[in-house]
Amino acid sequence: MPTDPTAPTAPTARPTAEAPLAPQASGAPIAVVGAACRLPGAPDVAAFWELLDRGVGAVGEAPEGRELGDAPRFGAYLDAVDRFDAAFFGIGPREAAATDPQQRLLLELGWEALENARIVPADLAGTRTAVFAAAIWDDYAALHHRQGAAAVGRHTITGLNRGVLANRLSYVLGLNGPSLTVDSAQSSSLVAVHLACESLRRGESDVAIVGGVNLVLGPASAAASATFGALSPDGRCRTFDAEANGYVRGEGGVAVVLKPLAAALADGDPVLCTLLGSAVNNDGASAGLTVPDRAAQEAVIREAHVHAGTTPTAVQYVELHGTGTPVGDPIEAAALGAALGAARVAAGAPPLLVGSAKTNVGHLEGAAGLVGLLKTALAVHHGRLPASLNFRTPPASIPLAELGLDVVTEGRAWPRQDDEPLLAGVSSFGMGGTNCHVVVGTAVPTEAGPTPAAPSGPLPWLVSGRGDDAVRGQAARLRDHVRTLAPTGQRPLDTAYSLATTRTHFEDRAVVLATDHDTAAAALTALAEGQAHPAVVRGQATAASGGGTAFVYSGQGSQRPGMGRELYETYGEFAAAFDEICAAFDPHLDRPLRELVLSGDESIHETRYAQPALFALETALTRLLAHWGITPDAVAGHSIGELT
């Protein structure tokens, strides 16, 4: 169910498998048109922004039942990672049990990200839509293999193979673009974003879903992380702080939907932010395999901004890799200072603001880069920078003023001069030296089209699901969302439009007929609780072989005074057709037909007026439906309706 039903837009032309794709210009902006997340304390994108904006940390104790051995139980965890609606994705119970929860989580995130992009997933079937996934751990596989050969079944390979992470989503949605899982250690998900952008620019894909997931399910990865020596013993990530002593593991996932900006604007897609450029490199022969290299990090930042065509003094914020380790933080600060901060110091510009989402939700390891990207995208969208938590004083090894850097310690408005565009960077570094930096810009403003007039009568709000429980659950989520809409001024028409045109319509359905948000909320509450309500209609769609659309035209007796008046006042297409037909009848009548019909005159019941009035109304309505793209496969009519 949508977390952000949006205003109506022009119908979107979706690509087909046969449609030729033109490569985009090198460095052409890529639009983030949709996103979804499942993070500690934040089950969706709106909740994640609220957590960030309020400066809340989600670190706590591991849930009961998590077998972590002797590793610290501090972390940022999800609840109920074992729950999954397998039937929704066409997966049987046995296969679901054999499938890594990371695969299951990515399926959910991919679907939700498309919905939030106002893309019906079925519309992408057979298209060159790419999936780039990221994950670095195989905890579920390790737990499974502990049971020995007896636990191996026909779904073991596909359920536990990390490469299938992306392939599973491509299979379920029927996508024919590139599909691969990226593992460059902790930089995996941001590298996946970089690869997706390059795929879109080359024209090998037209849409890309990029997801990163990380679940802490067993003692193997917990022990490895603890032995590596990078975990904070007191459960706090203190990025760039003098008391920094390591990071806290986090779990969850993020998915984003990407399109070339030009295509997104042409299709009327919602644009959260733009990705202007990116770069990937490796430390090479550094001081040690897992020791970061300042020169390589500086180089990747500079290269990304060269690709983006941006200058160091134009960047206002950077989302750090920011693990809070005594070794990594000073190296990252020095590299960032050299790449972007020094020019600001020399120009006398304000320092570059920095922060890290790891202080809120922990280090999501293979998914961490996407967490940072989503935080930055939301900050750009809202024009605010959330606080980076747990920072008081930098160590001597991070001279912030000299480096031209400053940590965001309190939520604040995004800093910029006049109307200059918002510009940020996101860094993510892998322990093996694979570095990535992405340049993020504000969405390109577009001219708003004409706002369609809202009809005065009830609007149909469509709710559907696979099964009664799903319909009720969708109703509850929509009801909760509706309660936030009234203060925003969003019209019920806009929500009705989005529900009708940008959501998948499943077999079990309900229609809520509402004139305002309060009526809708009351009806949705009844639907969620399984209660009858006069504004709710329930039913189940059935697939009829060879079915189509039929129009039935009524004859005399169905006329009423004032019929069609609201249609005439609301829709120009209807009014033009109605006027044309009335003008043709007027020479044969003793009264102007349009005035008689629309005025509510009781004379309409006389046969000499009723029949031409019905012909005019039904023909004008047919033309209005045709204007909307609704045409019949069959027609039937009675009396004057037969002639119509």
Side-chain angles (χ1 to χ4, degrees), residues 450-533:
T451 301
S456 58
L459 293 162
W461 286 23
L462 310 183
V463 181
S464 71
R466 286 179 171 157
D468 182 67
D469 288 346
V471 173
R472 293 170 59 181
Q474 295 284 56
R477 291 186 63 189
L478 182 58
R479 183 265 326 273
D480 293 343
H481 180 66
V482 165
R483 289 171 174 169
T484 70
L485 292 180
T488 69
Q490 182 165 306
R491 304 178 304 167
L493 171 65
D494 301 334
T495 305
Y497 179 92
S498 292
L499 291 171
T501 63
T502 68
R503 292 296 178 266
T504 301
H505 303 305
F506 298 106
E507 298 82 9
D508 292 278
R509 301 179 180 182
V511 178
V512 172
L513 297 172
T515 55
D516 54 62
H517 290 124
D518 290 340
T519 303
L524 288 166
T525 297
L527 178 59
E529 296 174 354
Q531 304 296 322
H533 191 281

Side-chain angles (χ1 to χ4, degrees), residues 48-379:
F48 182 45
W49 174 250
E50 182 180 3
L51 178 145
L52 292 169
D53 200 36
R54 289 171 49 216
V56 174
V59 175
E61 289 280 340
E64 289 294 326
R66 296 293 182 97
E67 186 182 346
L68 302 180
D70 296 330
R73 297 189 66 81
F74 290 118
Y77 298 95
L78 296 181
D79 295 325
V81 295
D82 57 323
R83 296 181 184 175
F84 177 63
D85 189 353
F88 180 89
F89 294 103
I91 300 174
R94 290 186 179 180
E95 185 174 8
T99 300
D100 190 331
Q102 293 183 137
Q103 284 191 34
R104 305 186 321 221
L105 177 58
L106 187 63
L107 286 176
E108 296 173 344
L109 292 172
W111 184 280
E112 291 179 18
L114 288 173
E115 283 204 334
N116 288 335
R118 298 205 300 251
I119 297 174
V120 176
D123 289 348
L124 295 181
T127 67
R128 287 170 292 202
T129 296
V131 178
F132 292 87
I136 67 174
W137 296 109
D138 297 305
D139 284 10
Y140 196 70
L143 291 174
H144 192 275
H145 291 315
R146 276 197 325 192
Q147 302 174 56
V152 176
R154 62 189 297 261
H155 302 299
T156 298
I157 291 181
T158 55
L160 303 181
N161 188 300
R162 209 183 318 153
V164 179
L165 191 66
N167 305 157
R168 175 86 67 176
L169 183 57
S170 297
Y171 171 76
V172 167
L173 299 182
L175 311 178
N176 294 129
S179 180
L180 55 102
T181 302
V182 178
D183 183 355
S184 61
Q186 290 80 0
S187 60
S188 297
S189 64
L190 204 62
V191 171
V193 171
H194 168 79
L195 295 175
C197 291
E198 293 305 303
S199 177
L200 292 167
R201 291 189 178 108
R202 287 197 305 272
E204 89 179 345
S205 57
D206 45 25
V207 180
I209 304 169
V210 188
V213 288
N214 193 62
L215 295 178
V216 182
L217 302 178
S221 67
S225 299
T227 304
F228 185 62
L231 297 185
S232 168
D234 58 5
R236 291 290 181 273
C237 180
R238 300 179 175 86
T239 301
F240 280 20
D241 190 74
E243 297 183 6
N245 58 3
Y247 63 82
V248 181
R249 299 188 76 196
E251 63 179 10
V254 173
V256 295
V257 180
L258 308 180
K259 292 179 71 172
L261 178 61
L265 294 177
D267 291 342
D269 294 327
V271 178
L272 185 62
C273 69
T274 53
L275 308 182
L276 304 177
S278 59
V280 172
N281 72 4
N282 191 272
D283 290 347
S286 61
L289 175 62
T290 62
V291 177
D293 183 74
R294 186 203 63 77
Q297 291 184 10
E298 177 186 345
V300 81
I301 295 169
R302 289 186 185 278
E303 184 179 351
H305 286 277
V306 167
H307 289 316
T310 51
T311 59
T313 53
V315 184
Q316 299 129 355
Y317 174 77
V318 168
E319 175 68 13
L320 303 165
H321 180 62
T323 53
T325 58
V327 174
D329 279 8
I331 292 174
E332 179 174 10
L336 187 60
L340 301 179
R344 305 178 74 88
V345 174
L352 175 66
L353 297 177
V354 299
S356 173
K358 293 178 179 64
T359 63
N360 301 93
V361 295
H363 189 350
L364 267 75
E365 299 165 327
L370 266 173
V371 175
L373 177 63
L374 180 58
K375 171 190 170 181
T376 306
L378 292 172

